[in-house]
Amino acid sequence: MKIGLLPRLIIAIIIGICFGLILPQWWIQLLATFNGLFGGFLNFIIPLIILGFIAPGIGELGKGAGKLVALTTTVAYTSTVVAGLLAFFSGRMLFPSLLSTGSTSGNFENPEEFLQSPLFEVNLEPVMSVMTALILAFVLGLGLAAINGTSLQKGMVDFRSIIEKVIHYVIIPLLPVHILGIFANMTYGGQVAMIMSTFIKVFAVIIVLHIVMLLAQYSTASALSGKNVFQSLRNMVPAYFTALGTQSSATTIPVTLKQTKSNQVREKIADFVVPLCANIHLSGSTITLVSCSMAVMMLNGMQPTFTSIFPFILALGLTMIAAPGVPGGAVMAVLGLLQSMLGFSETMTSLMIALYLAQDSFGTATNVTGDGALSIMVDKLMGNDVNSVEVEEEESSKTA
């Protein structure tokens, strides 16, 4: 029987804590050595992930019905940014009392001071810096969206497929071992109780924020369309639970489409908006990423400010475009942003991965359910202009 990623992560955390309590120092150093090698590989692959996801993703957005693409992208990006701001202001209001001095995690210092060092290190330099990869990806993506050529686009799509396979067959399978090593090291250093307490508190806040965001999305859709908020949400419940199990927006597309159409969204709109939003609308994942990153920063004595988090939120909405259809794709796509914009260290990145992946299924379910609300909004905002989409699509196919 195949065990899902979330159960494997939970098992890895439990085993890691047990190992940290019973194993001698040299075993912990051995695990730290693996973590060092794996962390080095992650640093190497991060620029390639950014280039492989963003460039072809933006290029693909330039195809098809122009007005519908622009409207859907604007609504999806706005929703993602609003979700990030909701997470930031909620975190600023709640986290100081949950994680501040005097609470369970109040006296937590930089965890790297307590970690055992690896037995040896291998210096694996990335082929380019994170910012170089980000700028190059945007230049290539916007260029691909502007030209009629397909050769480079196909090449970038093939490159994305290679990176997806590296994530699916190398990074994802080894992540539980990496997390096991981190928690073993943390436990050996006497810090795990504080971290686990933080996990539970952050998880509770994130789930509540997901619910608030869905209510806000469907209330907005209802205000525009006149549909009943709770009936529309009820119709999307099968999509929510399907995404909860698959942890993939792409895999859930057939169910999302069916349930979106049950909300009386025109078929042409639903068939276009739902698959597109599966790649570009990540409000639930954004809430999780922003909340988890703020918690990790506070654990390390860093104060997340609006001036540091808001640019990060704006970049999230673009960087996660076309994140792979594998569990944890969003956090893999933004590892570079965490390092370059928020100053995350290797240990902070590892904690972030653990926090995010444990919540990944709930974030994905929120993304998918929110796609139904966005479809209602786009359907209303397009009005009778939807009739022009077919003409534009036919002309686009003839050109291709």
Side-chain angles (χ1 to χ4, degrees):
M1 182 178 67
K2 187 177 180 180
I3 302 177
L5 179 60
L6 180 56
R8 279 185 284 153
L9 277 175
I10 295 173
I11 293 170
I13 290 173
I14 294 172
I15 294 175
I17 293 173
C18 294
F19 279 5
L21 293 172
I22 64 176
L23 291 182
Q25 182 179 7
W26 69 272
W27 267 103
I28 304 300
Q29 288 181 313
L30 188 63
L31 289 171
T33 303
F34 170 80
N35 284 347
L37 295 173
F38 186 79
F41 179 72
L42 274 181
N43 288 333
F44 172 80
I45 204 72
I46 283 170
L48 303 182
I49 290 174
I50 292 172
L51 187 61
F53 290 169
I54 297 178
I58 295 177
E60 288 167 346
L61 292 182
K63 301 175 182 178
K67 181 178 179 179
L68 189 53
V69 170
L71 179 59
T72 305
T73 303
T74 300
V75 172
Y77 185 72
T78 301
S79 175
T80 300
V81 172
V82 169
L85 291 173
L86 171 66
F88 170 74
F89 287 113
S90 300
R92 282 293 299 269
M93 181 175 62
L94 298 173
F95 287 170
S97 60
L98 294 176
L99 311 177
S100 63
T101 302
S103 69
T104 306
S105 58
N107 297 318
F108 188 86
E109 299 177 36
N110 188 339
E112 293 183 333
E113 297 175 3
F114 300 91
L115 297 181
Q116 293 296 312
S117 301
L119 297 173
F120 64 89
E121 297 180 356
V122 175
N123 188 19
L124 186 60
E125 293 290 339
V127 294
M128 65 184 77
S129 70
V130 168
M131 289 308 300
T132 299
L134 196 58
I135 293 172
L136 179 60
F138 280 121
V139 170
L140 288 176
L142 293 172
L144 289 170
I147 65 176
N148 293 324
T150 58
S151 298
L152 182 57
Q153 175 69 19
K154 289 179 180 178
M156 292 304 301
V157 170
D158 288 342
F159 179 63
R160 180 175 64 192
S161 299
I162 293 172
I163 299 300
E164 287 176 348
K165 287 190 178 296
V166 171
I167 291 175
H168 188 78
Y169 292 108
V170 179
I171 295 178
I172 294 296
L174 290 178
L175 268 178
V177 183
H178 185 52
I179 299 303
L180 185 154
I182 288 292
F183 275 84
N185 215 336
M186 291 287 186
T187 303
Y188 190 84
Q191 301 298 308
V192 73
M194 299 176 185
I195 295 174
M196 292 305 296
S197 173
T198 299
F199 271 36
I200 295 171
K201 295 172 182 176
V202 173
F203 287 176
V205 171
I206 289 172
I207 295 299
V208 172
L209 292 180
H210 284 168
I211 296 171
V212 171
M213 188 63 197
L214 286 176
L215 288 173
Q217 289 170 334
Y218 278 89
S219 295
T220 304
S222 176
L224 287 173
S225 66
K227 300 181 189 296
N228 182 275
V229 176
F230 297 104
Q231 182 60 46
S232 299
L233 264 171
R234 191 180 302 117
N235 288 338
M236 295 302 297
V237 167
Y240 182 92
F241 282 100
T242 301
L244 204 62
T246 63
Q247 294 181 272
S248 171
S249 298
T251 304
T252 314
I253 284 175
V255 181
T256 311
L257 267 174
K258 180 177 181 296
Q259 299 310 122
T260 298
K261 291 174 183 177
S262 72
N263 278 331
Q264 286 78 51
V265 174
R266 284 173 289 183
E267 185 172 350
K268 190 180 296 183
I269 293 291
D271 288 345
F272 187 92
V273 174
V274 169
L276 180 58
C277 283
N279 282 326
I280 67 172
H281 179 232
L282 298 130
S283 56
S285 297
T286 300
I287 287 173
T288 306
L289 285 165
V290 173
S291 299
C292 291
S293 61
M294 290 177 67
V296 171
M297 290 174 72
M298 288 182 177
L299 282 176
N300 286 266
M302 302 164 63
Q303 288 302 318
T305 62
F306 184 79
T307 54
S308 64
I309 296 296
F310 186 57
F312 175 67
I313 293 171
L314 295 178
L316 276 182
L318 299 174
T319 306
M320 290 191 296
I321 288 176
V326 297
V331 74
M332 294 301 160
V334 302
L335 290 180
L337 293 182
L338 292 171
Q339 294 178 350
S340 62
M341 299 186 73
L342 299 183
F344 271 42
S345 65
E346 182 180 323
T347 301
M348 293 172 70
T349 301
S350 301
L351 287 174
M352 182 68 186
I353 292 173
L355 271 168
Y356 178 84
L357 290 180
Q359 281 280 315
D360 186 30
S361 56
F362 293 96
T364 301
T366 303
N367 296 340
V368 164
T369 308
D371 292 346
L374 266 60
S375 298
I376 295 173
M377 296 180 203
V378 172
D379 188 27
K380 181 63 178 178
L381 293 171
M382 279 294 294
N384 293 329
D385 288 345
V386 69
N387 297 323
S388 65
V389 172
E390 185 176 356
V391 176
E392 290 186 40
E393 286 179 337
E394 288 177 356
E395 291 177 353
S396 178
S397 63
K398 289 177 181 178
T399 303

